[in-house]
Short mmCIF file of all heavy atoms in Angstrom, two decimals:
data_model
loop_
_atom_site.label_atom_id
_atom_site.label_comp_id
_atom_site.label_asym_id
_atom_site.label_seq_id
_atom_site.Cartn_x
_atom_site.Cartn_y
_atom_site.Cartn_z
N LEU A 1 -28.47 12.15 -43.79
CA LEU A 1 -27.29 11.61 -43.10
C LEU A 1 -26.16 12.63 -43.26
O LEU A 1 -25.66 12.73 -44.40
CB LEU A 1 -26.94 10.24 -43.55
CG LEU A 1 -25.94 9.42 -42.57
CD1 LEU A 1 -26.52 9.14 -41.26
CD2 LEU A 1 -25.51 8.20 -43.34
N HIS A 2 -25.69 13.28 -42.23
CA HIS A 2 -24.82 14.31 -42.44
C HIS A 2 -23.92 14.56 -41.22
O HIS A 2 -24.24 14.11 -40.04
CB HIS A 2 -25.44 15.71 -42.82
CG HIS A 2 -26.45 16.07 -41.87
ND1 HIS A 2 -27.74 15.61 -41.82
CD2 HIS A 2 -26.47 16.86 -40.70
CE1 HIS A 2 -28.43 16.08 -40.77
NE2 HIS A 2 -27.53 16.90 -40.18
N VAL A 3 -22.82 15.33 -41.28
CA VAL A 3 -22.10 15.84 -40.19
C VAL A 3 -22.93 16.85 -39.53
O VAL A 3 -23.42 17.81 -40.11
CB VAL A 3 -20.72 16.42 -40.62
CG1 VAL A 3 -20.00 16.94 -39.46
CG2 VAL A 3 -19.83 15.31 -41.27
N ALA A 4 -23.14 16.71 -38.24
CA ALA A 4 -23.94 17.63 -37.44
C ALA A 4 -23.28 18.99 -37.44
O ALA A 4 -22.10 19.13 -37.65
CB ALA A 4 -24.09 17.08 -36.02
N PRO A 5 -24.10 20.05 -37.20
CA PRO A 5 -23.59 21.49 -37.14
C PRO A 5 -22.43 21.46 -36.00
O PRO A 5 -22.65 21.04 -34.91
CB PRO A 5 -24.76 22.31 -36.67
CG PRO A 5 -25.92 21.56 -37.18
CD PRO A 5 -25.58 20.04 -37.04
N PHE A 6 -21.29 22.01 -36.45
CA PHE A 6 -20.12 22.01 -35.59
C PHE A 6 -19.70 20.68 -35.14
O PHE A 6 -19.27 20.49 -33.96
CB PHE A 6 -20.30 23.03 -34.43
CG PHE A 6 -20.96 24.32 -34.80
CD1 PHE A 6 -22.20 24.63 -34.33
CD2 PHE A 6 -20.34 25.17 -35.80
CE1 PHE A 6 -22.78 25.84 -34.75
CE2 PHE A 6 -20.90 26.40 -36.12
CZ PHE A 6 -22.14 26.74 -35.69
N GLY A 7 -19.93 19.68 -36.05
CA GLY A 7 -19.78 18.31 -35.59
C GLY A 7 -18.39 17.62 -35.68
O GLY A 7 -18.28 16.43 -35.43
N THR A 8 -17.39 18.40 -36.07
CA THR A 8 -16.07 17.83 -36.05
C THR A 8 -15.16 18.54 -35.00
O THR A 8 -15.35 19.69 -34.64
CB THR A 8 -15.26 18.06 -37.40
OG1 THR A 8 -15.27 19.53 -37.66
CG2 THR A 8 -16.00 17.33 -38.50
N PHE A 9 -14.32 17.67 -34.45
CA PHE A 9 -13.24 18.30 -33.43
C PHE A 9 -11.93 17.63 -33.89
O PHE A 9 -11.76 16.43 -33.67
CB PHE A 9 -13.68 17.90 -32.02
CG PHE A 9 -12.76 18.43 -30.99
CD1 PHE A 9 -11.86 19.46 -31.23
CD2 PHE A 9 -12.70 17.80 -29.68
CE1 PHE A 9 -11.01 20.00 -30.27
CE2 PHE A 9 -11.90 18.32 -28.71
CZ PHE A 9 -11.09 19.45 -28.93
N VAL A 10 -11.08 18.45 -34.38
CA VAL A 10 -9.80 18.04 -34.87
C VAL A 10 -8.65 18.59 -33.93
O VAL A 10 -8.49 19.75 -33.88
CB VAL A 10 -9.54 18.50 -36.36
CG1 VAL A 10 -8.14 17.90 -36.86
CG2 VAL A 10 -10.62 18.09 -37.25
N HIS A 11 -7.97 17.66 -33.34
CA HIS A 11 -6.92 18.17 -32.34
C HIS A 11 -5.61 17.28 -32.52
O HIS A 11 -5.79 16.09 -32.94
CB HIS A 11 -7.34 18.16 -30.87
CG HIS A 11 -8.08 16.90 -30.47
ND1 HIS A 11 -7.47 15.86 -29.78
CD2 HIS A 11 -9.43 16.55 -30.57
CE1 HIS A 11 -8.32 14.97 -29.46
NE2 HIS A 11 -9.44 15.30 -29.92
N SER A 12 -4.60 17.83 -32.24
CA SER A 12 -3.24 17.16 -32.53
C SER A 12 -2.50 16.89 -31.27
O SER A 12 -2.56 17.73 -30.26
CB SER A 12 -2.44 18.00 -33.51
OG SER A 12 -2.31 19.34 -33.11
N THR A 13 -1.64 15.85 -31.31
CA THR A 13 -0.71 15.57 -30.19
C THR A 13 0.69 15.58 -30.72
O THR A 13 0.96 14.89 -31.81
CB THR A 13 -1.02 14.19 -29.56
OG1 THR A 13 -2.32 14.20 -29.11
CG2 THR A 13 -0.09 13.95 -28.46
N LEU A 14 1.58 16.35 -30.15
CA LEU A 14 2.96 16.36 -30.59
C LEU A 14 3.90 16.21 -29.43
O LEU A 14 3.55 16.43 -28.28
CB LEU A 14 3.33 17.83 -31.16
CG LEU A 14 2.52 18.24 -32.44
CD1 LEU A 14 1.50 19.39 -32.13
CD2 LEU A 14 3.55 18.66 -33.58
N ALA A 15 5.08 15.76 -29.67
CA ALA A 15 6.10 15.65 -28.58
C ALA A 15 7.47 16.10 -29.27
O ALA A 15 7.67 16.06 -30.47
CB ALA A 15 6.26 14.20 -28.25
N ALA A 16 8.25 16.75 -28.40
CA ALA A 16 9.54 17.29 -28.83
C ALA A 16 10.33 16.17 -29.53
O ALA A 16 10.30 15.06 -29.11
CB ALA A 16 10.40 17.85 -27.62
N PRO A 17 10.93 16.54 -30.73
CA PRO A 17 11.18 17.79 -31.26
C PRO A 17 10.07 18.34 -32.27
O PRO A 17 10.35 19.05 -33.16
CB PRO A 17 12.48 17.68 -32.02
CG PRO A 17 12.44 16.21 -32.48
CD PRO A 17 11.72 15.45 -31.44
N PHE A 18 8.88 17.84 -32.02
CA PHE A 18 7.70 18.33 -32.80
C PHE A 18 7.83 18.05 -34.27
O PHE A 18 7.38 18.85 -35.07
CB PHE A 18 7.47 19.88 -32.57
CG PHE A 18 7.35 20.12 -31.08
CD1 PHE A 18 8.34 20.91 -30.44
CD2 PHE A 18 6.30 19.77 -30.37
CE1 PHE A 18 8.18 21.23 -29.09
CE2 PHE A 18 6.14 20.04 -29.00
CZ PHE A 18 7.03 20.74 -28.38
N ASP A 19 8.39 16.94 -34.70
CA ASP A 19 8.52 16.64 -36.00
C ASP A 19 7.59 15.55 -36.48
O ASP A 19 7.56 15.06 -37.64
CB ASP A 19 9.97 16.16 -36.46
CG ASP A 19 10.36 15.01 -35.55
OD1 ASP A 19 9.72 14.61 -34.61
OD2 ASP A 19 11.37 14.34 -35.98
N LYS A 20 6.72 15.12 -35.53
CA LYS A 20 5.65 14.11 -35.80
C LYS A 20 4.36 14.59 -35.07
O LYS A 20 4.49 15.03 -33.93
CB LYS A 20 5.99 12.67 -35.34
CG LYS A 20 7.22 12.13 -36.11
CD LYS A 20 7.56 10.74 -35.64
CE LYS A 20 8.77 10.10 -36.34
NZ LYS A 20 8.45 9.96 -37.78
N ALA A 21 3.21 14.35 -35.72
CA ALA A 21 1.92 14.79 -35.16
C ALA A 21 1.01 13.61 -35.30
O ALA A 21 0.95 12.96 -36.40
CB ALA A 21 1.46 16.07 -35.83
N LYS A 22 0.11 13.43 -34.37
CA LYS A 22 -1.04 12.55 -34.48
C LYS A 22 -2.31 13.42 -34.37
O LYS A 22 -2.55 14.10 -33.36
CB LYS A 22 -1.03 11.60 -33.33
CG LYS A 22 -2.18 10.51 -33.59
CD LYS A 22 -2.20 9.53 -32.45
CE LYS A 22 -2.72 10.04 -31.15
NZ LYS A 22 -2.85 9.05 -30.15
N LEU A 23 -3.08 13.48 -35.45
CA LEU A 23 -4.38 14.16 -35.52
C LEU A 23 -5.46 13.19 -35.06
O LEU A 23 -5.64 12.16 -35.66
CB LEU A 23 -4.63 14.76 -36.85
CG LEU A 23 -4.07 16.08 -37.07
CD1 LEU A 23 -2.51 16.13 -37.21
CD2 LEU A 23 -4.57 16.66 -38.44
N THR A 24 -6.26 13.61 -34.16
CA THR A 24 -7.45 12.87 -33.71
C THR A 24 -8.60 13.67 -34.27
O THR A 24 -8.73 14.80 -34.11
CB THR A 24 -7.53 12.75 -32.15
OG1 THR A 24 -6.41 12.08 -31.70
CG2 THR A 24 -8.79 11.99 -31.76
#
């Protein structure tokens, strides 16, 4: 039971003034 090869996708959402981020 493992993370599949290349199995993560980390992307972020920011809004001006870019002082907060949400990572999915």
